[in-house]
Amino acid sequence: MQNTAHPSRLVLIGSAASQAMSPGLWNPVLGRLGTGWTYEAWDVPPDGDLVSVRDRLLEPGIIAANVTMPHKHWAADAADNATEEVLLSGACNLLLRSGSTLFGHNTDIMAARSLLGGEFQRNALLMGAGGAARAVLIALKGKVGTVTISDRDPRAMEELLGLAKELGMAARSVDWDEARGLASEASLLVNATPLGKSVSDGPVWGDGPLAPDAVVYDFVYAGHVTATIARARRLGARCIDGWDHLYGQAVAMVPLLGMDEQAGELLGESLVRVRSGA
């Protein structure tokens, strides 16, 4: 017999989804709102059967899926329709289900745009050239003077440089050591690498100075303050950390899911609890 259950399930798809913070962030909020919804994790390895995963997303109980590494590019391809941000980035981290179709969104870009506040950046330094850096780059469209890109993977670096030029940006790529030396010139410095996950990691740009007007955006979230954020604070920079980004992503989902505006405040409270236990 066909399952006609009312949609009530949000899911997270990723190779280590069960280790992510999202279920712990969302489930208390869903409970307090009385939605009857649940948020669950689906661990899908890099070589997993993604055709079957897409089929599962079309089961009657599914509302939407967040998608994390390494499946954001798959999600962009799996979407029947998508936002301009998804089409530009080639990455999707939210699939909304409507009947037998999936609509792709990129809340990384939405969060970055909100957190950066629309301010013009005279010089952005992107350290790392993966999905996080791509999200910031797209969020900066029309709001940046020059962009400098660096990554230890030359191919990823050149791909992001190509996107920057497609977006009409004045951009260049430099090697890692040169990038660290350019931190003092950047009005926006982005750590789009895993550096900082370990307490033994130093600041992504090393121990050099920062520009007087610097904003430091560190995508890493951990149970400790990362060295990048700690040093940036000591130098007086405005800081956006990985927890801010996680919250920004979640808040961006609220209107897309048709949830009560109160959800934003509850997500903030839930994030404090999750962070204290990280």
Side-chain angles (χ1 to χ4, degrees):
M1 179 179 296
Q2 186 180 14
N3 183 356
T4 58
H6 184 73
S8 61
R9 297 164 61 199
L10 300 172
V11 303
L12 174 66
I13 299 167
S15 61
S18 59
Q19 300 174 31
M21 302 289 184
S22 296
L25 174 66
W26 276 99
N27 278 316
V29 174
L30 299 174
R32 290 180 66 182
L33 289 173
T35 62
W37 295 0
T38 59
Y39 193 110
E40 63 193 70
W42 292 359
D43 285 330
V44 180
D47 59 351
D49 183 356
L50 293 168
V51 173
S52 295
V53 171
R54 192 184 190 285
D55 289 342
R56 290 176 67 192
L57 290 177
L58 297 178
E59 293 175 357
I62 300 296
I63 299 168
N66 281 133
V67 184
T68 188
M69 296 302 292
H71 301 307
K72 293 183 181 182
H73 293 300
W74 162 79
D77 291 336
D80 299 292
N81 296 290
T83 63
E84 180 184 2
E85 287 88 353
V86 170
L87 298 177
L88 278 172
S89 66
C92 167
N93 69 344
L94 176 64
L95 289 167
L96 289 181
R97 183 259 179 114
S98 177
S100 60
T101 64
L102 299 173
F103 196 101
H105 295 266
N106 190 313
T107 60
D108 279 324
I109 298 170
M110 296 167 70
R113 187 175 287 131
S114 175
L115 289 164
L116 290 171
E119 298 174 7
F120 182 84
Q121 298 296 336
R122 56 178 176 75
N123 185 343
L125 173 60
L126 307 183
M127 301 193 71
R134 189 169 286 249
V136 171
L137 188 72
I138 293 171
L140 288 172
K141 182 181 179 182
K143 298 173 183 175
V144 67
T146 62
V147 177
T148 302
I149 298 165
S150 188
D151 194 280
R152 296 190 188 278
D153 179 348
R155 180 176 176 181
M157 184 167 62
E158 292 308 310
E159 286 180 354
L160 192 61
L161 178 62
L163 175 59
K165 291 181 176 179
E166 287 178 22
L167 295 173
M169 296 175 175
R172 61 174 172 165
S173 61
V174 300
D175 67 33
W176 193 257
D177 289 337
E178 184 177 355
R180 298 179 90 184
L182 293 171
S184 63
E185 302 174 12
S187 65
L188 173 65
L189 188 151
V190 178
N191 177 26
T193 79
L195 284 172
K197 281 287 188 183
S198 170
V199 293
S200 63
D201 291 338
V204 68
W205 77 95
D207 296 323
L210 293 173
D213 61 343
V215 177
V216 174
Y217 198 136
D218 185 359
F219 275 84
V220 174
Y221 61 87
H224 57 273
V225 177
T226 67
T228 291
I229 291 296
R231 178 159 177 77
R233 286 175 178 167
R234 288 196 298 271
L235 294 174
R238 180 166 81 86
C239 295
I240 301 166
D241 68 12
W243 294 98
D244 296 324
H245 185 79
L246 183 66
Y247 177 68
Q249 284 181 305
V251 169
M253 288 174 58
V254 169
L256 297 176
L257 294 170
M259 299 178 71
D260 191 288
E261 290 184 3
Q262 182 189 7
E265 179 181 344
L266 295 179
L267 282 164
E269 295 172 6
S270 183
L271 184 69
V272 171
R273 291 191 294 270
V274 169
R275 186 170 187 173
S276 66

